[in-house]
Amino acid sequence: MRHEPSRAMHESSEDAQKSVTRVTGKVDPVSGWARRLTAELESVLLDTLGLAAAIEWHLRGWQKYTGIASELAVSNAAGFDLPEEYAASIFHIYSEALNNVVRHARARRIAVALTITPYKVTLVVRDYGIGLGHQASSSSQGGIAGMRARAQSHKGLCEFAGTSSAGTTVTASLPIAQTS
């Protein structure tokens, strides 16, 4: 396959990064560069494909890479084009939710739903993993806090529901400001 050499190189790079971090206790400066590059690529994907197609493309690759089964439901019946800043925020919340699934959930499958209307965009990411404990759902640090902050920057909400051994659901809902 065409992507195998690049995947092996990426995995080798990640292994090397983990080794450096373990030995030095520091994150290599390349990590910052990789994050900036990822952000730029996400921006190009969103601009080129739109939010729904970018999530669909990303989710297919994520499923292949992680082996976690996924399903996607998109509702955008009106074909409404989401403002760029809303699309970027939802995509980042989606990305962080999937990162958390890989890091913490031990899930074998997930379901993603995206609903776009002229007045609101809603993202739901449901994993069928070990669940989210009470302390984690009320966390004011890390990825959860970042997802909440992104939603709040648009006067929206990002909520977390789940209990031990019952999976976790992340729901982000952003009202779209109407321009006159």
Side-chain angles (χ1 to χ4, degrees):
M1 293 184 68
R2 277 179 27 185
H3 301 291
E4 290 305 316
S6 63
R7 178 181 291 159
M9 186 171 75
H10 177 71
E11 289 171 352
S12 295
S13 173
E14 284 183 345
D15 290 343
Q17 178 67 41
K18 288 176 187 171
S19 296
V20 169
T21 302
R22 200 173 27 250
V23 171
T24 66
K26 298 178 183 177
V27 175
D28 187 308
V30 172
S31 179
W33 171 83
R35 281 191 205 108
R36 286 190 304 276
L37 179 61
T38 299
E40 289 176 25
L41 288 173
E42 287 173 2
S43 177
V44 169
L45 274 175
L46 289 171
D47 289 348
T48 305
L49 301 176
L51 178 62
I55 286 176
E56 181 180 358
W57 177 84
H58 181 272
L59 191 57
R60 268 188 304 213
W62 182 86
Q63 180 175 311
K64 243 186 222 180
Y65 184 74
T66 64
I68 299 171
S70 62
E71 60 185 65
L72 174 63
V74 175
S75 176
N76 186 6
F80 180 73
D81 284 332
L82 198 58
E84 183 179 319
E85 62 275 10
Y86 290 85
S89 289
I90 287 292
F91 193 84
H92 286 322
I93 292 168
Y94 153 83
S95 296
E96 185 61 34
L98 265 58
N99 286 337
N100 287 342
V101 168
V102 170
R103 281 190 230 134
H104 308 294
R106 292 188 235 150
R108 293 181 188 257
R109 69 183 175 103
I110 66 164
V112 178
L114 177 67
T115 304
I116 303 170
T117 73
Y119 304 101
K120 180 170 63 170
V121 57
T122 303
L123 170 75
V124 178
V125 178
R126 167 97 166 101
D127 74 57
Y128 297 89
I130 62 170
L132 183 67
H134 175 69
Q135 278 185 309
S137 66
S138 61
S139 175
S140 62
Q141 299 179 23
I144 288 176
M147 288 188 277
R148 283 191 172 126
R150 281 200 182 271
Q152 290 169 352
S153 73
H154 298 288
K155 297 182 170 114
L157 295 172
C158 188
E159 300 173 313
F160 303 84
T163 57
S164 294
S165 73
T168 301
T169 301
V170 177
T171 304
S173 184
L174 310 181
I176 299 173
Q178 300 303 302
T179 55
S180 304

mmCIF file of all heavy atoms in Angstrom, residues 94-124:
data_model
loop_
_atom_site.group_PDB
_atom_site.id
_atom_site.type_symbol
_atom_site.label_atom_id
_atom_site.label_comp_id
_atom_site.label_asym_id
_atom_site.label_seq_id
_atom_site.Cartn_x
_atom_site.Cartn_y
_atom_site.Cartn_z
ATOM 1 N N TYR A 94 -14.137 17.658 18.092
ATOM 2 C CA TYR A 94 -14.214 16.296 17.550
ATOM 3 C C TYR A 94 -12.855 15.589 17.682
ATOM 4 O O TYR A 94 -12.777 14.460 18.171
ATOM 5 C CB TYR A 94 -14.665 16.374 16.086
ATOM 6 C CG TYR A 94 -14.219 15.235 15.216
ATOM 7 C CD1 TYR A 94 -14.922 14.036 15.182
ATOM 8 C CD2 TYR A 94 -13.080 15.360 14.424
ATOM 9 C CE1 TYR A 94 -14.498 12.991 14.389
ATOM 10 C CE2 TYR A 94 -12.653 14.317 13.625
ATOM 11 C CZ TYR A 94 -13.355 13.135 13.608
ATOM 12 O OH TYR A 94 -12.928 12.102 12.831
ATOM 13 N N SER A 95 -11.785 16.265 17.274
ATOM 14 C CA SER A 95 -10.438 15.669 17.325
ATOM 15 C C SER A 95 -10.039 15.316 18.750
ATOM 16 O O SER A 95 -9.498 14.237 19.008
ATOM 17 C CB SER A 95 -9.392 16.628 16.736
ATOM 18 O OG SER A 95 -9.632 16.850 15.383
ATOM 19 N N GLU A 96 -10.291 16.227 19.682
ATOM 20 C CA GLU A 96 -9.939 15.971 21.077
ATOM 21 C C GLU A 96 -10.777 14.827 21.643
ATOM 22 O O GLU A 96 -10.270 13.993 22.397
ATOM 23 C CB GLU A 96 -10.112 17.227 21.922
ATOM 24 C CG GLU A 96 -9.641 17.061 23.349
ATOM 25 C CD GLU A 96 -8.160 16.714 23.490
ATOM 26 O OE1 GLU A 96 -7.335 17.176 22.678
ATOM 27 O OE2 GLU A 96 -7.825 15.963 24.437
ATOM 28 N N ALA A 97 -12.047 14.772 21.282
ATOM 29 C CA ALA A 97 -12.893 13.671 21.751
ATOM 30 C C ALA A 97 -12.338 12.326 21.261
ATOM 31 O O ALA A 97 -12.268 11.364 22.037
ATOM 32 C CB ALA A 97 -14.334 13.863 21.282
ATOM 33 N N LEU A 98 -11.917 12.257 19.997
ATOM 34 C CA LEU A 98 -11.344 11.018 19.480
ATOM 35 C C LEU A 98 -10.003 10.701 20.137
ATOM 36 O O LEU A 98 -9.704 9.532 20.412
ATOM 37 C CB LEU A 98 -11.208 11.069 17.959
ATOM 38 C CG LEU A 98 -12.379 10.444 17.203
ATOM 39 C CD1 LEU A 98 -13.708 11.090 17.533
ATOM 40 C CD2 LEU A 98 -12.127 10.439 15.723
ATOM 41 N N ASN A 99 -9.198 11.721 20.408
ATOM 42 C CA ASN A 99 -7.943 11.496 21.137
ATOM 43 C C ASN A 99 -8.227 10.893 22.508
ATOM 44 O O ASN A 99 -7.528 9.982 22.952
ATOM 45 C CB ASN A 99 -7.163 12.805 21.308
ATOM 46 C CG ASN A 99 -6.510 13.253 20.025
ATOM 47 O OD1 ASN A 99 -6.262 12.460 19.125
ATOM 48 N ND2 ASN A 99 -6.228 14.536 19.940
ATOM 49 N N ASN A 100 -9.256 11.392 23.176
ATOM 50 C CA ASN A 100 -9.614 10.866 24.491
ATOM 51 C C ASN A 100 -10.111 9.428 24.410
ATOM 52 O O ASN A 100 -9.836 8.620 25.306
ATOM 53 C CB ASN A 100 -10.658 11.754 25.164
ATOM 54 C CG ASN A 100 -10.057 13.050 25.650
ATOM 55 O OD1 ASN A 100 -8.849 13.185 25.799
ATOM 56 N ND2 ASN A 100 -10.906 14.036 25.880
ATOM 57 N N VAL A 101 -10.806 9.091 23.343
ATOM 58 C CA VAL A 101 -11.256 7.706 23.151
ATOM 59 C C VAL A 101 -10.038 6.787 23.085
ATOM 60 O O VAL A 101 -9.981 5.759 23.758
ATOM 61 C CB VAL A 101 -12.120 7.557 21.877
ATOM 62 C CG1 VAL A 101 -12.334 6.084 21.520
ATOM 63 C CG2 VAL A 101 -13.454 8.267 22.046
ATOM 64 N N VAL A 102 -9.047 7.183 22.290
ATOM 65 C CA VAL A 102 -7.853 6.356 22.127
ATOM 66 C C VAL A 102 -7.077 6.264 23.439
ATOM 67 O O VAL A 102 -6.625 5.185 23.828
ATOM 68 C CB VAL A 102 -6.951 6.913 21.002
ATOM 69 C CG1 VAL A 102 -5.602 6.219 20.977
ATOM 70 C CG2 VAL A 102 -7.640 6.764 19.659
ATOM 71 N N ARG A 103 -6.920 7.375 24.128
ATOM 72 C CA ARG A 103 -6.116 7.408 25.354
ATOM 73 C C ARG A 103 -6.785 6.738 26.552
ATOM 74 O O ARG A 103 -6.101 6.141 27.374
ATOM 75 C CB ARG A 103 -5.805 8.859 25.738
ATOM 76 C CG ARG A 103 -4.692 9.446 24.944
ATOM 77 C CD ARG A 103 -4.284 10.775 25.555
ATOM 78 N NE ARG A 103 -4.251 11.738 24.460
ATOM 79 C CZ ARG A 103 -4.772 12.936 24.489
ATOM 80 N NH1 ARG A 103 -5.372 13.387 25.562
ATOM 81 N NH2 ARG A 103 -4.697 13.722 23.450
ATOM 82 N N HIS A 104 -8.106 6.891 26.682
ATOM 83 C CA HIS A 104 -8.744 6.536 27.944
ATOM 84 C C HIS A 104 -9.888 5.531 27.867
ATOM 85 O O HIS A 104 -10.135 4.827 28.835
ATOM 86 C CB HIS A 104 -9.294 7.803 28.623
ATOM 87 C CG HIS A 104 -8.297 8.894 28.767
ATOM 88 N ND1 HIS A 104 -7.194 8.797 29.582
ATOM 89 C CD2 HIS A 104 -8.226 10.120 28.186
ATOM 90 C CE1 HIS A 104 -6.485 9.918 29.509
ATOM 91 N NE2 HIS A 104 -7.086 10.726 28.666
ATOM 92 N N ALA A 105 -10.617 5.483 26.786
ATOM 93 C CA ALA A 105 -11.913 4.786 26.781
ATOM 94 C C ALA A 105 -11.851 3.274 26.662
ATOM 95 O O ALA A 105 -12.777 2.592 27.082
ATOM 96 C CB ALA A 105 -12.803 5.334 25.664
ATOM 97 N N ARG A 106 -10.803 2.762 26.030
ATOM 98 C CA ARG A 106 -10.738 1.315 25.743
ATOM 99 C C ARG A 106 -11.978 0.855 24.987
ATOM 100 O O ARG A 106 -12.506 -0.238 25.241
ATOM 101 C CB ARG A 106 -10.536 0.507 27.015
ATOM 102 C CG ARG A 106 -9.177 0.731 27.637
ATOM 103 C CD ARG A 106 -8.934 -0.212 28.780
ATOM 104 N NE ARG A 106 -8.590 0.597 29.946
ATOM 105 C CZ ARG A 106 -8.849 0.266 31.178
ATOM 106 N NH1 ARG A 106 -9.447 -0.864 31.457
ATOM 107 N NH2 ARG A 106 -8.506 1.059 32.161
ATOM 108 N N ALA A 107 -12.442 1.687 24.087
ATOM 109 C CA ALA A 107 -13.659 1.395 23.318
ATOM 110 C C ALA A 107 -13.331 0.539 22.106
ATOM 111 O O ALA A 107 -12.249 0.626 21.541
ATOM 112 C CB ALA A 107 -14.320 2.697 22.872
ATOM 113 N N ARG A 108 -14.312 -0.252 21.700
ATOM 114 C CA ARG A 108 -14.194 -1.039 20.467
ATOM 115 C C ARG A 108 -14.966 -0.384 19.330
ATOM 116 O O ARG A 108 -14.810 -0.750 18.179
ATOM 117 C CB ARG A 108 -14.693 -2.449 20.689
ATOM 118 C CG ARG A 108 -13.811 -3.222 21.646
ATOM 119 C CD ARG A 108 -14.332 -4.643 21.811
ATOM 120 N NE ARG A 108 -13.613 -5.312 22.865
ATOM 121 C CZ ARG A 108 -12.649 -6.203 22.629
ATOM 122 N NH1 ARG A 108 -12.321 -6.507 21.402
ATOM 123 N NH2 ARG A 108 -12.049 -6.788 23.634
ATOM 124 N N ARG A 109 -15.848 0.567 19.690
ATOM 125 C CA ARG A 109 -16.570 1.290 18.649
ATOM 126 C C ARG A 109 -17.023 2.647 19.172
ATOM 127 O O ARG A 109 -17.139 2.858 20.376
ATOM 128 C CB ARG A 109 -17.757 0.483 18.133
ATOM 129 C CG ARG A 109 -18.887 0.309 19.097
ATOM 130 C CD ARG A 109 -19.996 -0.580 18.493
ATOM 131 N NE ARG A 109 -21.025 -0.828 19.466
ATOM 132 C CZ ARG A 109 -22.198 -0.222 19.480
ATOM 133 N NH1 ARG A 109 -22.501 0.655 18.549
ATOM 134 N NH2 ARG A 109 -23.087 -0.497 20.409
ATOM 135 N N ILE A 110 -17.276 3.544 18.212
ATOM 136 C CA ILE A 110 -17.779 4.879 18.528
ATOM 137 C C ILE A 110 -18.850 5.253 17.510
ATOM 138 O O ILE A 110 -18.938 4.654 16.432
ATOM 139 C CB ILE A 110 -16.673 5.956 18.518
ATOM 140 C CG1 ILE A 110 -16.115 6.142 17.098
ATOM 141 C CG2 ILE A 110 -15.567 5.642 19.508
ATOM 142 C CD1 ILE A 110 -15.309 7.417 16.917
ATOM 143 N N ALA A 111 -19.630 6.243 17.859
ATOM 144 C CA ALA A 111 -20.625 6.804 16.938
ATOM 145 C C ALA A 111 -20.468 8.326 16.981
ATOM 146 O O ALA A 111 -20.360 8.913 18.058
ATOM 147 C CB ALA A 111 -22.031 6.407 17.349
ATOM 148 N N VAL A 112 -20.448 8.931 15.801
ATOM 149 C CA VAL A 112 -20.322 10.391 15.678
ATOM 150 C C VAL A 112 -21.544 10.892 14.927
ATOM 151 O O VAL A 112 -21.915 10.328 13.891
ATOM 152 C CB VAL A 112 -19.035 10.783 14.916
ATOM 153 C CG1 VAL A 112 -18.941 12.287 14.743
ATOM 154 C CG2 VAL A 112 -17.790 10.237 15.613
ATOM 155 N N ALA A 113 -22.163 11.943 15.443
ATOM 156 C CA ALA A 113 -23.304 12.573 14.766
ATOM 157 C C ALA A 113 -23.036 14.061 14.659
ATOM 158 O O ALA A 113 -22.627 14.706 15.628
ATOM 159 C CB ALA A 113 -24.593 12.321 15.540
ATOM 160 N N LEU A 114 -23.258 14.603 13.481
ATOM 161 C CA LEU A 114 -23.067 16.025 13.223
ATOM 162 C C LEU A 114 -24.352 16.561 12.608
ATOM 163 O O LEU A 114 -24.827 16.040 11.596
ATOM 164 C CB LEU A 114 -21.897 16.239 12.245
ATOM 165 C CG LEU A 114 -21.622 17.669 11.812
ATOM 166 C CD1 LEU A 114 -21.134 18.511 12.987
ATOM 167 C CD2 LEU A 114 -20.602 17.689 10.679
ATOM 168 N N THR A 115 -24.907 17.604 13.232
ATOM 169 C CA THR A 115 -26.122 18.237 12.720
ATOM 170 C C THR A 115 -25.840 19.713 12.515
ATOM 171 O O THR A 115 -25.410 20.400 13.450
ATOM 172 C CB THR A 115 -27.298 18.064 13.714
ATOM 173 O OG1 THR A 115 -27.475 16.668 13.962
ATOM 174 C CG2 THR A 115 -28.574 18.652 13.150
ATOM 175 N N ILE A 116 -26.087 20.174 11.305
ATOM 176 C CA ILE A 116 -25.837 21.573 10.962
ATOM 177 C C ILE A 116 -27.136 22.195 10.478
ATOM 178 O O ILE A 116 -27.781 21.674 9.562
ATOM 179 C CB ILE A 116 -24.765 21.708 9.862
ATOM 180 C CG1 ILE A 116 -23.453 21.029 10.304
ATOM 181 C CG2 ILE A 116 -24.527 23.172 9.518
ATOM 182 C CD1 ILE A 116 -22.425 20.892 9.194
ATOM 183 N N THR A 117 -27.527 23.292 11.118
ATOM 184 C CA THR A 117 -28.673 24.078 10.675
ATOM 185 C C THR A 117 -28.196 25.526 10.538
ATOM 186 O O THR A 117 -27.092 25.855 10.981
ATOM 187 C CB THR A 117 -29.840 24.020 11.691
ATOM 188 O OG1 THR A 117 -29.507 24.799 12.838
ATOM 189 C CG2 THR A 117 -30.181 22.596 12.085
ATOM 190 N N PRO A 118 -28.998 26.393 9.967
ATOM 191 C CA PRO A 118 -28.582 27.803 9.891
ATOM 192 C C PRO A 118 -28.452 28.464 11.269
ATOM 193 O O PRO A 118 -27.848 29.518 11.384
ATOM 194 C CB PRO A 118 -29.704 28.456 9.093
ATOM 195 C CG PRO A 118 -30.313 27.353 8.297
ATOM 196 C CD PRO A 118 -30.200 26.141 9.177
ATOM 197 N N TYR A 119 -28.973 27.826 12.313
ATOM 198 C CA TYR A 119 -28.986 28.448 13.640
ATOM 199 C C TYR A 119 -28.085 27.769 14.666
ATOM 200 O O TYR A 119 -27.783 28.345 15.702
ATOM 201 C CB TYR A 119 -30.416 28.483 14.189
ATOM 202 C CG TYR A 119 -31.339 29.191 13.233
ATOM 203 C CD1 TYR A 119 -32.181 28.471 12.401
ATOM 204 C CD2 TYR A 119 -31.324 30.582 13.126
ATOM 205 C CE1 TYR A 119 -33.007 29.119 11.492
ATOM 206 C CE2 TYR A 119 -32.139 31.232 12.228
ATOM 207 C CZ TYR A 119 -32.977 30.502 11.406
ATOM 208 O OH TYR A 119 -33.773 31.154 10.508
ATOM 209 N N LYS A 120 -27.681 26.516 14.396
ATOM 210 C CA LYS A 120 -26.912 25.771 15.395
ATOM 211 C C LYS A 120 -26.153 24.636 14.729
ATOM 212 O O LYS A 120 -26.612 24.049 13.750
ATOM 213 C CB LYS A 120 -27.875 25.220 16.448
ATOM 214 C CG LYS A 120 -27.225 24.431 17.547
ATOM 215 C CD LYS A 120 -28.145 24.104 18.699
ATOM 216 C CE LYS A 120 -29.308 23.245 18.341
ATOM 217 N NZ LYS A 120 -30.062 22.751 19.505
ATOM 218 N N VAL A 121 -25.001 24.322 15.298
ATOM 219 C CA VAL A 121 -24.258 23.127 14.899
ATOM 220 C C VAL A 121 -24.081 22.287 16.158
ATOM 221 O O VAL A 121 -23.734 22.797 17.227
ATOM 222 C CB VAL A 121 -22.904 23.460 14.223
ATOM 223 C CG1 VAL A 121 -22.014 24.303 15.114
ATOM 224 C CG2 VAL A 121 -22.171 22.189 13.806
ATOM 225 N N THR A 122 -24.360 20.990 16.023
ATOM 226 C CA THR A 122 -24.262 20.076 17.159
ATOM 227 C C THR A 122 -23.423 18.870 16.756
ATOM 228 O O THR A 122 -23.637 18.284 15.698
ATOM 229 C CB THR A 122 -25.664 19.606 17.615
ATOM 230 O OG1 THR A 122 -26.452 20.758 17.926
ATOM 231 C CG2 THR A 122 -25.568 18.710 18.835
ATOM 232 N N LEU A 123 -22.491 18.534 17.621
ATOM 233 C CA LEU A 123 -21.634 17.358 17.440
ATOM 234 C C LEU A 123 -21.836 16.447 18.640
ATOM 235 O O LEU A 123 -21.803 16.914 19.779
ATOM 236 C CB LEU A 123 -20.164 17.780 17.372
ATOM 237 C CG LEU A 123 -19.145 16.643 17.416
ATOM 238 C CD1 LEU A 123 -19.098 15.918 16.068
ATOM 239 C CD2 LEU A 123 -17.769 17.179 17.782
ATOM 240 N N VAL A 124 -22.055 15.168 18.374
ATOM 241 C CA VAL A 124 -22.151 14.177 19.443
ATOM 242 C C VAL A 124 -21.152 13.065 19.120
ATOM 243 O O VAL A 124 -21.179 12.496 18.030
ATOM 244 C CB VAL A 124 -23.580 13.585 19.557
ATOM 245 C CG1 VAL A 124 -23.629 12.521 20.647
ATOM 246 C CG2 VAL A 124 -24.603 14.680 19.801
#
